[in-house]
Amino acid sequence: MRVTKVSLGAVLAILGGVMPMMSSSIDPNVPTVPLKNAAVPGLVMPVIGLGTWAYGFPGEAWNDTIGQTTVEQFLKMGGRRIDGAQHYGDQKGVGRGLAGSGLDRSTVFVTSKLPCTGYNETMKNVEDILSDLNTSYVDLLLIHWPYSAGLEKRLTTDPKCKPDSAESAKTCRQSVWGALTSVFHAGKARAIGVSNFEIKHLQDILDMPDALLPAVNQVEFHPYWHEDSLVAFCQKHNITFNSYSPLSCPDWAPKTHLWARKHGALDEPVVIKAAQAHSKTPAQVILRWAWQQGIVANPRTYNTDHMAENLNVFDFELSSDEMQAISTIKPPAIPKVCPDPNKEP
């Protein structure tokens, strides 16, 4: 039985004269978590989603055609959450996959992300995302990184995002969060949140007067890289913690990225031992390890066997000793898949 709680965001939206959309119609057999803070009443997020990074990048392993097929396959197998981003270049392929699935839009939870480049830029990016996805709303919209440097920042029209400095990084985050709040009130996102935000970045939002708190923080999290203090901070503030690269990215990645491990944590002896004990795969063990900490995950794959494995992690439980053993795996010299957001101002 689900308990529906009215979020702060929904209350403020109603008081402001804007009625938020009703909750999604996710299949009740799909394991979900309720979203709080900046989320419409009753909105739930499926625990396991499909990561889609690199679907649209030219010359890489995936493209829009493969992305469309992969989304359709994942949804056909019972998956109900798709994770994408404007920067991934995957939005058109994801949108085609949603349309090709034949499912009602309200039954699929769609996440997108946009850069932290300014208020007006955010409002335009939202319209571009919705157009590419061919939808009138996303279920979750995230600020992709706490700070955007380089060309994107130099072209911003938002004075709160200039010049490049620690102070402008803070004011820019707050300005973009204000834009996302407007998007939420307008009904174009059922929930809003952040990605790659450390405690110091989250605190900038908490410091805003009367600000809605993020519903979600999506961060790299796996046995080689797990920031337990950040997880605790998010859970204290009812911010759902969402893991990306949950398997330490054994699937595929361009040479420009940091890791060189073919199978990552899947080859760790303690993970293999737990998998054998529960008649599961190492990937299922790692996803279960995250879920027993209350963490939802976006494993990326276009392999249908792996999709089936990823969706089937709810019929066993790791012991406290197994949880501890995985949590204390010694990481390799380069433990992260993506850059460290702790280094962002």
Side-chain angles (χ1 to χ4, degrees):
M1 178 180 178
R2 290 180 180 165
V3 177
T4 300
K5 297 182 178 180
V6 178
S7 69
L8 174 60
V11 172
L12 292 177
I14 293 169
L15 291 177
V18 178
M19 180 63 70
M21 295 174 294
M22 296 306 293
S23 61
S24 54
S25 302
I26 303 296
D27 184 335
N29 294 314
V30 174
T32 60
V33 296
L35 293 187
K36 303 177 182 179
N37 299 332
V40 300
L43 183 64
V44 296
M45 181 178 186
V47 174
I48 299 297
L50 177 70
T52 65
W53 175 72
Y55 281 1
F57 283 1
E60 294 191 351
W62 297 355
N63 54 41
D64 278 344
T65 300
I66 296 174
Q68 175 183 347
T69 301
T70 305
V71 168
E72 290 176 358
Q73 289 173 329
F74 182 72
L75 296 175
K76 184 178 181 180
M77 299 183 72
R80 288 297 181 268
R81 178 163 64 86
I82 308 298
D83 184 89
Q86 189 174 41
H87 175 68
Y88 297 168
D90 66 349
Q91 304 288 263
K92 291 183 179 179
V94 169
R96 293 169 190 162
L98 292 170
S101 72
L103 294 172
D104 187 278
R105 172 65 185 86
S106 67
T107 66
V108 182
F109 190 104
V110 178
T111 298
S112 189
K113 313 177 194 75
L114 44 71
C116 185
T117 50
Y119 190 100
N120 291 333
E121 287 74 13
T122 297
M123 303 305 282
K124 181 182 184 302
N125 286 335
V126 169
E127 297 306 318
D128 291 343
I129 288 170
L130 297 179
S131 176
D132 287 345
L133 289 172
N134 193 26
T135 184
S136 61
Y137 70 94
V138 291
D139 296 275
L140 177 62
L141 185 63
L142 307 177
I143 303 175
H144 203 158
W145 283 84
Y147 184 66
S148 294
L151 181 62
E152 285 182 331
K153 184 56 64 67
R154 291 197 295 272
L155 294 177
T156 183
T157 62
D158 192 337
K160 294 182 179 179
C161 294
K162 293 181 178 181
D164 285 338
S165 68
E167 182 59 29
S168 71
K170 174 180 179 178
T171 59
C172 191
R173 275 191 288 276
Q174 293 176 335
S175 182
V176 172
W177 184 250
L180 256 64
T181 302
S182 296
V183 171
F184 172 65
H185 288 326
K188 295 181 179 181
R190 293 185 171 185
I192 54 174
V194 296
S195 180
N196 296 298
F197 271 47
E198 298 295 333
I199 292 175
K200 64 181 180 180
H201 306 129
L202 290 168
Q203 192 62 54
D204 289 343
I205 295 178
L206 268 64
D207 289 345
M208 295 173 65
D210 302 319
L212 301 180
L213 299 185
V216 172
N217 187 15
Q218 185 178 130
V219 182
E220 181 175 343
F221 184 94
H222 48 75
Y224 291 151
W225 186 267
H226 46 98
E227 299 175 273
D228 299 334
S229 60
L230 178 58
V231 173
F233 183 90
C234 288
Q235 293 178 344
K236 175 184 177 181
H237 293 282
N238 294 319
I239 301 170
T240 295
F241 198 94
N242 182 187
S243 162
Y244 72 77
S245 299
L247 306 178
S248 65
C249 269
D251 181 45
W252 178 89
K255 295 178 181 178
T256 54
H257 275 65
L258 302 179
W259 67 92
R261 305 177 301 277
K262 183 177 180 182
H263 296 296
L266 300 181
D267 282 343
E268 291 291 339
V270 296
V271 173
I272 294 173
K273 181 180 178 181
Q276 292 172 341
H278 295 280
S279 298
K280 294 292 183 179
T281 67
Q284 288 173 313
V285 165
I286 292 175
L287 292 174
R288 181 70 198 189
W289 167 79
W291 173 232
Q292 285 185 212
Q293 299 176 70
I295 296 168
V296 303
N298 313 328
R300 185 194 67 166
T301 183
Y302 52 79
N303 181 309
T304 54
D305 290 337
H306 293 169
M307 290 181 193
E309 292 174 7
N310 296 343
L311 291 167
N312 184 26
V313 296
F314 303 101
D315 60 351
F316 73 106
E317 185 171 347
L318 298 173
S319 69
S320 58
D321 287 343
E322 289 169 331
M323 291 289 293
Q324 179 67 13
I326 297 170
S327 296
T328 54
I329 289 174
K330 182 179 179 181
I334 301 177
K336 280 187 87 336
V337 172
C338 290
D340 186 356
N342 279 294
K343 297 178 181 179
E344 299 286 346

